[in-house]
Amino acid sequence: MEVVDQEGRTLTFSIGPQHPGSGHFRLIVKVDGDFIVDVKPDPGYVHRGAEKMCEERTYIQNIPHLERPVIFDSSGILFPYVLAVEELLGVQAPPRAQYIRIIMAELNRIISHLYWLAIYGIFLGHSTMFMWPMGDRELFIDLAEAIGGTRVTFSYFVPGGVRNDLPPGFKERALKTFSYYEKRLEEYDKIFFSNPMFLKRTQGIGVLKREDAIRLGVTGPNLRASGISSDTRKDEPYSSYETIKWDIPVRKEGDCYARSMVRFQELFDSLNIMRQALDLIPEGSVKIPMRGQIKGKVGESFARTEAARGTMFYHIISDGATHPYRVKISVPSFRSLSAMPFLLKGNHLADMPAIYWGLDYWPVEADK
Amino acid sequence: MSQSIEKEELLLSSIKDKFGDKVRELYVNPKRIKILVDRENILNVATFVRDLGFDQVISVGGTDFPKEDSFVVDYHLIGVEHEDLKKIIFDLSTKFPKNEPKTPTLMEVWPSAEYHEQETFEMLGIIFEGHPRMERLLLPEDWNDIPPLRKEFKLPSRLVEHGSS
Amino acid sequence: MDTFEEFLKRVITIAFWLLLLGPVIVLPIILLVLPQFGVPVEVANRFLIALINPLGMLQFIDSLGLGPSSLFFKIAAFPGFTFAALFATLVILYERKLLAKMQNRVGPLYAGRFEGILQPIAELFKLIFKELLTPEKADKPFFWAVPFLAIAVGGAFLALIPLSPEIYIAKSEIGLVIIFAILSFTPLIVLTAGWASANKFSFIGGLRALHQLVSYEIPLILSTIGVVMLSGSLDLMKIVQAQASMWFILPQFIGAAVFFVTMLAELERIPFDLPEADSELVAGWYTEYSGMHFGALQLANYIKLYGFSVLFTLLFLGGWNGPAILPPLAWLFMKLFIVISFILVIRGTNTRIRIDQLIKLGWVYLIPLAFANIFIALAVASLGIV
């Protein structure tokens, strides 16, 4: 669609940082009538310098503050950090810890996706779809709390394993929750994902074609919705993901509908993965005992995992001290930043919420 | 680890055949390749690496090495469309002296590097020549200090000596 | 912090003491002072007697022309504005409780002893005590006029809607036409609000509302033509009388459906609440209104909701017609309850539609359907079914 920017016809909006539809983030939007002609994202309102903070704290001290940017997916952002540190230390988590990590990461994926779904519902004006996932999220928060001790920021993954073992009776409790929740997901489908109004608002809106998705560098569910089967859990299996069988949900359309359906499908997949992990989990210790301050060998390590929003990547450089020399974090939300203006331009202003939140851009995560 | 690194070696040799001494191999591990090139050649090497199939930038990270008086910029690449390449992280790095913090932008090669380069500019003061927006991104609008990820920038609350071991 | 009940208790206590002390202190003063200025003692006496004797009070009010049978009472109290406003607060409470039940919540629970029944009243008090903010660059006279105009249009709308053969405010041979004439003021008010607020979000919201209301007025009027043809009158009383044997929703099903959809659009409710789409336009043309201004706009909207629901009942569901075991008003309100529940359930289960889709729906589907409905009415009338 061609939209010509005519002088004097446009109106510039500053959507955010105080706007019900933006979060801690600003979009400077120029509209001509109802069409968006120009978009400039302005992130940084919640930048807290996580990378600099990492350089001045020990490897263990880094764990709690690294979770803060993505509290809904706190295990997701911590997972590659502990993997990278373990590579520097030359250790590997015991098998039981690896499966517990899978369970925790998938629980966090569900918590994050449900938060996304709730906000997507209310962005499109569907108040019931705001309340249901927000309420059902509590089930998984309760499960994660039983493992990690707190509701959102668990600080549960540590280099060399996990902090503590699963609580007794966790498997039965979790399986009960999963089977209940699968029934709820069918209701979600009936009221929201199959709703003709929802289809009208999302199908064919904000189409990100396969080559554009690669060119602009989007990741995770956004990339999979554009027809590319890319999932770090399959591409570079870590933490015993290779023993678990599931199919990556891929859709060809690349529109908002595809992006939401990929995430919806991932809710089922996560339940499936956790069931398998609970079956496969061996007995044994959950942590390699370490004494004193841990020091990485001189060198560097990369690690990437599949967090809820996409590939989470860490590049840690160590000079042999108790502190990392440099920690580079690449978060998935930051990578959808360049796709956002591309998708919004030429669309209706009314499609802004659908496209913006359809990318699952989490400003706090992007700002780090 | 006993994983084979044949594919990685193969990729590296194809780059070396093309560019010879201009490319220095830093290491090849399973699923990891890191090479170092000068900034004069980085555009050519990057174009070649892209044509090999590495089509996405995961991250662009810069590091300050005051002892060597230099900056290192790493481009972490994967090839999401390629069955083999999406399993490998390719690190294309370049090194240049600190008093001349300039390197050509790779936005023409990988448009996905856009915001990562802008962030690196802001955090380390490295100028990516040819990038359309070398301006503030994440820091406060009234930031009036040296770029924070340089090692000279110390957090007042924590003063830590590195390399003491 | 006080609970809301304690607050109410205090207000009532103060009112009680004022009413008690007033006659004891104020009346003797009046009786002593007024004759000095030549006011006859009888008038003051009548007022005093009225205060002591409730029946006398009624007579006194009647003599002023304000009694229950007077026009003033009808407009101000029942079935006019006060009743509609109270009904609107009930609808707000019902909406919140119903949506809460749909969404696995409890909804308002604490204000009032039973299920948060006083919550709308508590919120009304909250809004009254809030500061009225006017944007610096706003067009102030117009900005301030909008809440009053909105309430006025809502009230005028109510004046023409009868609730039973006896309970009505104004009776007119062409009631339906006047109702549509009054409703056509709404786009003007909305545009004024959007323009006078000097806010981009308000402005876009106002323009959207203008598009929406103007395009949906046509199918709204067209969808009622079938009813008018079948009943042969524009008078709502006669339309209801014509439905004694059969409700018009049966021969006029398409008309009723079109009317219902356009009604949702005219009320700016989900799925047609684009003028106040909060995720992109903050609150649309409401954005700059605060405190009781906002309360007045909301009240006007809910009064309109009440008015439209009654209108739907009268036009298609046979109004107050029903077996004589219950009074006509009871039948009307039972039907009203069903209509309002439908509106609320749609709010709970749908997403917001986009403006171009909305306009397309209006012009491409609803208007042809309304025309088709007219021909159906013609066929039904000529076959003599009704």
Side-chain angles (χ1 to χ4, degrees):
Chain A
M1 195 179 303
E2 278 297 308
V3 179
V4 185
D5 185 4
Q6 285 163 296
E7 205 53 48
R9 279 187 54 117
T10 55
L11 202 59
T12 309
F13 283 95
S14 185
I15 295 182
Q18 294 199 3
H19 184 282
S22 72
H24 313 286
F25 174 68
R26 183 160 71 142
L27 273 173
I28 300 166
V29 177
K30 216 181 250 182
V31 294
D32 177 5
D34 205 40
F35 288 98
I36 297 172
V37 290
D38 195 19
V39 179
K40 186 172 175 278
D42 178 18
Y45 287 89
V46 269
H47 174 65
R48 39 191 130 183
E51 291 176 5
K52 187 71 183 176
M53 269 153 59
C54 285
E55 291 173 13
E56 318 237 335
R57 283 165 173 76
T58 63
Y59 286 104
I60 296 292
Q61 281 175 335
N62 277 332
I63 287 174
H65 85 76
L66 274 176
E67 286 183 333
R68 259 60 192 177
V70 209
I71 55 169
F72 304 116
D73 188 22
S74 53
S75 300
I77 194 168
L78 210 52
F79 209 154
Y81 174 75
V82 291
L83 290 180
V85 173
E86 279 169 5
E87 194 185 324
L88 283 174
L89 296 173
V91 297
Q92 215 177 3
R96 185 172 175 83
Q98 293 188 1
Y99 282 102
I100 296 178
R101 281 178 180 179
I102 290 181
I103 292 166
M104 203 61 174
E106 297 301 325
L107 274 177
N108 259 299
R109 189 184 314 279
I110 290 182
I111 291 168
S112 172
H113 278 3
L114 286 183
Y115 185 85
W116 164 82
L117 180 56
I119 304 290
Y120 205 46
I122 198 68
F123 264 30
L124 296 176
H126 200 299
S127 51
T128 301
M129 211 55 216
F130 174 67
M131 295 296 172
W132 280 7
M134 273 293 181
D136 292 333
R137 213 176 128 242
E138 294 296 319
L139 299 170
F140 295 97
I141 288 182
D142 284 348
L143 282 183
E145 189 187 5
I147 304 176
T150 52
R151 276 170 53 83
V152 280
T153 49
F154 313 103
S155 301
Y156 184 62
F157 294 180
V158 288
V162 293
R163 229 180 42 224
N164 52 272
D165 205 345
L166 293 177
F170 178 79
K171 186 175 175 183
E172 292 70 38
R173 192 179 156 186
L175 290 178
K176 216 170 130 192
T177 308
F178 297 165
S179 56
Y180 164 74
Y181 191 65
E182 261 169 5
K183 283 184 217 129
R184 287 290 288 167
L185 280 175
E186 283 160 25
E187 291 175 16
Y188 285 14
D189 185 38
K190 278 181 200 149
I191 202 166
F192 190 65
F193 290 99
S194 306
N195 189 332
M197 297 291 236
F198 171 73
L199 303 183
K200 239 180 152 46
R201 282 305 302 278
T202 52
Q203 276 182 339
I205 306 298
V207 179
L208 192 60
K209 289 195 208 78
R210 189 186 166 92
E211 54 275 14
D212 289 329
I214 296 168
R215 186 171 59 84
L216 295 168
V218 297
T219 175
N222 298 338
L223 194 60
R224 294 196 275 282
S226 295
I228 296 157
S229 161
S230 152
D231 189 322
T232 315
R233 289 173 291 179
K234 291 267 191 195
D235 298 344
E236 191 191 325
Y238 51 92
S239 188
S240 300
Y241 264 113
E242 65 274 8
T243 58
I244 287 168
K245 291 179 187 64
W246 85 103
D247 293 324
I248 307 174
V250 177
R251 290 187 86 93
K252 295 264 182 292
E253 303 96 315
D255 53 5
C256 289
Y257 177 71
R259 286 193 277 276
S260 48
M261 287 316 276
V262 164
R263 291 196 173 88
F264 184 53
Q265 190 56 44
E266 281 188 9
L267 290 174
F268 289 100
D269 288 344
S270 287
L271 294 177
N272 179 14
I273 291 169
M274 278 192 284
R275 281 216 181 93
Q276 293 185 37
L278 282 170
D279 283 339
L280 289 170
I281 191 163
E283 290 297 320
S285 74
V286 296
K287 195 163 77 176
I288 295 169
M290 285 186 217
R291 290 189 191 284
Q293 289 284 20
I294 54 175
K295 288 179 186 173
K297 65 171 193 277
V298 180
E300 59 181 357
S301 67
F302 305 142
R304 57 171 169 159
T305 61
E306 187 75 13
R309 294 182 175 82
T311 304
M312 187 75 76
F313 172 81
Y314 272 69
H315 177 193
I316 300 182
I317 302 175
S318 160
D319 60 353
T322 53
H323 306 67
Y325 184 78
R326 168 88 168 97
V327 177
K328 169 67 198 170
I329 315 168
S330 170
V331 286
S333 287
F334 194 73
R335 293 171 64 187
S336 40
L337 209 51
S338 42
M340 206 183 296
F342 175 81
L343 289 181
L344 284 173
K345 262 179 222 171
N347 266 309
H348 291 272
L349 180 64
D351 284 331
M352 196 271 294
I355 294 172
Y356 166 71
W357 195 253
L359 287 169
D360 200 3
Y361 176 82
W362 182 242
V364 195
E365 183 187 77
D367 291 355
K368 296 188 288 264
Chain B
M1 296 215 191
S2 59
Q3 282 164 293
S4 79
I5 53 169
E6 280 169 32
K7 277 175 202 140
E8 289 83 346
E9 293 280 11
L10 212 65
L11 279 168
L12 198 63
S13 59
S14 68
I15 296 170
K16 283 199 154 171
D17 289 347
K18 171 95 173 151
F19 292 100
D21 290 344
K22 290 174 185 166
V23 174
R24 272 202 291 145
E25 166 198 346
L26 288 181
Y27 55 78
V28 180
N29 288 338
K31 296 175 179 174
R32 303 279 185 270
I33 306 174
K34 181 163 183 171
I35 60 168
L36 181 70
V37 293
D38 288 335
R39 59 183 163 186
E40 289 79 23
N41 306 322
I42 191 166
L43 212 54
N44 294 331
V45 178
T47 315
F48 184 74
V49 170
R50 185 201 49 196
D51 294 341
L52 281 178
F54 288 99
D55 47 17
Q56 249 194 0
V57 172
I58 303 182
S59 124
V60 178
T63 314
D64 179 14
F65 291 101
K67 282 178 189 161
E68 300 163 32
D69 200 29
S70 62
F71 281 129
V72 172
V73 174
D74 302 87
Y75 288 82
H76 305 99
L77 312 166
I78 52 166
V80 287
E81 247 188 325
H82 205 289
E83 268 311 310
D84 293 330
L85 298 189
K86 68 182 171 188
K87 296 176 178 153
I88 298 169
I89 294 177
F90 189 101
D91 187 334
L92 172 66
S93 63
T94 176
K95 195 172 184 178
F96 43 85
K98 249 180 119 167
N99 53 14
E100 205 188 331
K102 279 181 189 159
T103 178
T105 176
L106 298 188
M107 246 188 86
E108 282 96 61
V109 187
W110 293 291
S112 46
E114 180 185 8
Y115 283 94
H116 297 287
E117 285 186 348
Q118 195 178 347
E119 189 198 354
T120 308
F121 160 75
E122 180 180 41
M123 294 296 165
L124 285 147
I126 296 166
I127 295 163
F128 291 87
E129 287 169 320
H131 193 288
R133 271 201 323 280
M134 282 287 102
E135 57 189 34
R136 182 197 73 82
L137 183 71
L138 296 176
L139 289 177
E141 277 162 34
D142 54 353
W143 181 259
N144 187 20
D145 207 334
I146 57 169
L149 276 183
R150 290 194 181 186
K151 291 289 174 188
E152 300 96 272
F153 184 88
K154 300 275 183 207
L155 295 184
S157 55
R158 282 167 185 263
L159 293 171
V160 173
E161 277 304 309
H162 270 283
S164 53
S165 63
Chain C
M1 292 301 286
D2 293 346
T3 61
F4 182 63
E5 286 114 75
E6 282 167 1
F7 169 75
L8 266 190
K9 229 180 272 173
R10 271 210 314 282
V11 170
I12 291 167
T13 320
I14 292 169
F16 173 76
W17 283 107
L18 281 180
L19 283 176
L20 201 69
L21 291 175
V24 176
I25 298 166
V26 180
L27 278 177
I29 296 172
I30 291 172
L31 284 177
L32 290 174
V33 172
L34 285 186
Q36 309 290 328
F37 295 98
V39 178
V41 183
E42 289 84 49
V43 174
N45 269 345
R46 269 177 70 189
F47 187 51
L48 189 64
I49 290 165
L51 273 174
I52 296 162
N53 177 2
L55 280 175
M57 186 70 168
L58 274 180
Q59 278 168 7
F60 179 70
I61 291 171
D62 264 343
S63 72
L64 292 176
L66 302 174
S69 57
S70 71
L71 191 59
F72 178 80
F73 182 83
K74 279 182 177 170
I75 293 170
F78 182 79
F81 189 75
T82 310
F83 172 72
L86 278 176
F87 194 86
T89 56
L90 263 181
V91 171
I92 292 172
L93 184 72
Y94 176 53
E95 171 173 17
R96 295 178 60 171
K97 289 305 269 191
L98 184 74
L99 281 181
K101 297 287 178 241
M102 285 173 69
Q103 298 167 351
N104 294 353
R105 295 184 287 129
V106 288
L109 198 60
Y110 296 109
R113 291 266 171 255
F114 175 71
E115 292 284 310
I117 200 156
L118 291 179
Q119 186 68 31
I121 313 287
E123 269 160 21
L124 181 73
F125 274 100
K126 182 199 81 171
L127 284 176
I128 287 173
F129 289 123
K130 276 195 159 183
E131 188 185 355
L132 290 177
L133 292 166
T134 313
E136 199 182 344
K137 291 194 176 149
D139 211 337
K140 289 185 184 66
F142 290 106
F143 184 81
W144 279 71
V146 165
F148 296 97
L149 288 175
I151 290 262
V153 167
F157 180 27
L158 288 181
L160 289 148
I161 295 177
L163 291 187
S164 83
E166 293 83 35
I167 303 168
Y168 58 89
I169 299 172
K171 215 173 173 179
S172 170
E173 284 292 307
I174 49 163
L176 206 54
V177 175
I178 301 177
I179 285 174
F180 291 134
I182 290 167
L183 281 176
S184 60
F185 271 109
T186 328
L188 204 64
I189 295 169
V190 170
L191 187 65
T192 312
W195 186 267
S197 298
N199 178 318
K200 289 169 184 170
F201 294 115
S202 297
F203 182 57
I204 292 251
L207 285 185
R208 276 191 188 178
L210 184 71
H211 279 103
Q212 173 173 339
L213 296 175
V214 169
S215 348
Y216 273 64
E217 232 156 59
I218 301 160
L220 182 73
I221 295 171
L222 285 178
S223 65
T224 57
I225 287 180
V227 172
V228 174
M229 284 163 74
L230 291 183
S231 63
S233 171
L234 286 165
D235 188 349
L236 285 166
M237 291 275 193
K238 291 204 178 111
I239 289 174
V240 174
Q241 276 163 21
Q243 298 179 67
S245 57
M246 178 163 65
W247 295 356
F248 282 157
I249 195 167
L250 295 174
Q252 286 288 293
F253 183 76
I254 297 174
V258 171
F259 186 88
F260 190 78
V261 173
T262 45
M263 179 169 105
L264 290 179
E266 289 282 317
L267 290 168
E268 294 175 15
R269 293 186 69 82
I270 281 178
F272 303 115
D273 70 330
L274 323 132
E276 59 245 46
D278 51 359
S279 50
E280 74 247 25
L281 291 182
V282 189
W285 59 276
Y286 290 119
T287 305
E288 293 291 353
Y289 285 97
S290 58
M292 206 48 213
H293 277 164
F294 179 72
L297 290 173
Q298 285 291 337
L299 183 65
N301 207 347
Y302 276 92
I303 287 177
K304 260 171 76 185
L305 170 73
Y306 160 73
F308 264 112
S309 312
V310 179
L311 194 59
F312 185 82
T313 316
L314 297 184
L315 289 177
F316 296 104
L317 297 180
W320 50 79
N321 287 330
I325 41 169
L326 286 172
L329 214 54
W331 284 112
L332 181 77
F333 279 101
M334 273 162 62
K335 291 167 186 173
L336 199 57
F337 177 77
I338 294 167
V339 174
I340 289 178
S341 301
F342 252 102
I343 296 175
L344 299 185
V345 168
I346 285 174
R347 187 199 151 168
T349 50
N350 274 299
T351 62
R352 189 180 298 123
I353 198 170
R354 216 171 57 208
I355 185 79
D356 58 320
Q357 294 167 343
L358 171 105
I359 305 257
K360 192 179 164 200
L361 176 73
W363 289 95
V364 177
Y365 299 107
L366 291 182
I367 291 183
L369 271 177
F371 271 117
N373 179 60
I374 293 173
F375 289 109
I376 291 172
L378 207 62
V380 169
S382 58
L383 289 173
I385 294 170
V386 179

